């Protein structure tokens, strides 16, 4: 890390099994470089979530708090996790998952990035924990309806048991570790653990976050 850096955005790394070790190395480097503030992209309700990803985020938050002034950007689910699936969803006529009737406060990567930029470029955020998510929470059945409206095609939501959902992901070519992570996330969603009504994202970026319908329309374009 370059000496003299004042503020750092630590984006959680991809492979869950390597995440905590990677993050600790980055935090140690920030300490050595005398960084004054680190903003970390954690996950929604990291301290209490039952999702398999949560312990890696909780451990990182704890390690970071002990060493540097910090801000926790607890990002909710990403709308791109669904819009990237649109070709397959349209081909199959179905959106599959294991989230039941759980509500999901998703937002776009761009909206989360704008929130991070605000935190890094303005003062008064040290020690804050922001629970970030879109204002238009939805169930996966409602998301399927939104896709139907946007495309003029009937898309149904098929809710599966978690193990069946995992097998479906594996059959679609999703690596085993990621398939298990996604199934665990859906189970957390079924318990409303990916829902927030904090309003933190809207307040940070100074505008409403993109709606699911807007994200779908952008992806289709």
């Amino acid at each position: 890390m370059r000496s003299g850096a004042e503020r750092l955005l630590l984006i959680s790394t991809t492979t869950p099994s390597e995440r905590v070790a990677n993050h600790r190395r980055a935090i140690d480097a920030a300490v050595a470089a005398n960084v004054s503030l680190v903003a970390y992209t954690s996950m929604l309700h990291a301290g209490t979530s039952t999702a398999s990803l949560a312990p890696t985020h909780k451990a990182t938050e704890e390690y970071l708090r002990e060493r540097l002034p910090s801000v926790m950007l607890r990002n909710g689910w990403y709308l791109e996790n669904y819009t990237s699936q649109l070709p397959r969803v349209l081909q199959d006529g179905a959106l599959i998952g294991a989230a039941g009737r759980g509500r999901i406060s998703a937002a776009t990567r761009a909206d989360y990035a704008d929130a991070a930029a605000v935190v890094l470029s303005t003062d008064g955020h040290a020690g804050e924990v922001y629970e970030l998510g879109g204002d238009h929470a939805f169930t996966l059945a409602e998301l399927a309806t939104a896709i139907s409206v946007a495309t003029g095609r009937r898309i149904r939501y098929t809710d599966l048991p978690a193990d069946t959902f995992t097998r479906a992901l594996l059959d679609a070519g999703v690596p085993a570790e990621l398939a298990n992570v996604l199934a665990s996330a859906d189970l957390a969603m079924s318990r409303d653990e990916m829902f927030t009504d904090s309003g933190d994202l809207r307040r940070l970026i100074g505008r409403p976050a993109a709606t699911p319908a807007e994200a779908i329309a952008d992806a289709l374009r």
Side-chain angles (χ1 to χ4, degrees):
M1 182 174 294
R2 183 174 63 84
S3 178
E6 293 184 2
R7 298 180 181 183
L8 171 71
L9 176 63
L10 175 56
I11 298 174
S12 54
T13 58
T14 302
T15 305
S17 59
E18 301 172 357
R19 179 172 282 171
V20 175
N22 288 339
H23 295 173
R24 286 180 175 177
R25 284 192 289 269
I27 293 165
D28 291 345
V31 172
N34 295 314
V35 169
S36 63
L37 181 73
V38 175
Y40 170 59
T41 60
S42 186
M43 72 173 287
L44 202 58
H45 311 306
T48 58
S49 175
T50 60
S52 63
L53 288 177
T56 66
H57 289 295
K58 183 179 180 181
T60 299
E61 288 188 4
E62 291 171 350
Y63 192 81
L64 179 55
R65 284 193 187 97
E66 293 170 356
R67 286 158 179 80
L68 284 167
S70 56
V71 187
M72 306 308 167
L73 300 171
R74 288 182 169 175
N75 292 353
W77 214 231
Y78 296 86
L79 282 167
E80 287 85 355
N81 290 344
Y82 299 115
T83 57
S84 64
Q85 297 179 43
L86 282 173
R88 182 64 181 262
V89 169
L90 294 174
Q91 175 184 309
D92 296 344
L95 175 69
I96 66 171
R101 297 180 180 178
R103 296 167 295 168
I104 304 161
S105 301
T108 63
R109 290 191 178 99
D111 286 332
Y112 291 128
D114 284 350
V118 169
V119 164
L120 291 171
S121 61
T122 60
D123 296 325
H125 302 286
E128 295 291 342
V129 177
Y130 294 117
E131 302 284 357
L132 302 177
D135 299 309
H136 295 80
F138 55 87
T139 66
L140 290 188
E142 290 168 342
L143 183 64
T145 297
I147 296 171
S148 299
V149 170
T151 62
R153 299 177 58 181
R154 183 176 181 274
I155 304 299
R156 67 187 184 280
Y157 171 57
T158 302
D159 195 60
L160 303 171
D163 57 348
T164 305
F165 181 43
T166 303
R167 287 197 298 272
L169 293 171
L170 293 172
D171 290 344
V174 176
E177 184 175 31
L178 179 56
N180 288 323
V181 163
L182 293 174
S184 173
D186 267 34
L187 283 179
M189 290 173 193
S190 74
R191 306 179 185 108
D192 276 351
E193 293 175 14
M194 291 293 184
F195 169 77
T196 181
D197 58 3
S198 71
D200 286 347
L201 180 58
R202 180 179 65 256
R203 282 190 291 272
L204 283 175
I205 65 179
R207 57 172 173 77
T211 67
E214 290 168 342
I216 292 165
D218 286 344
L220 291 172
R221 282 195 289 270

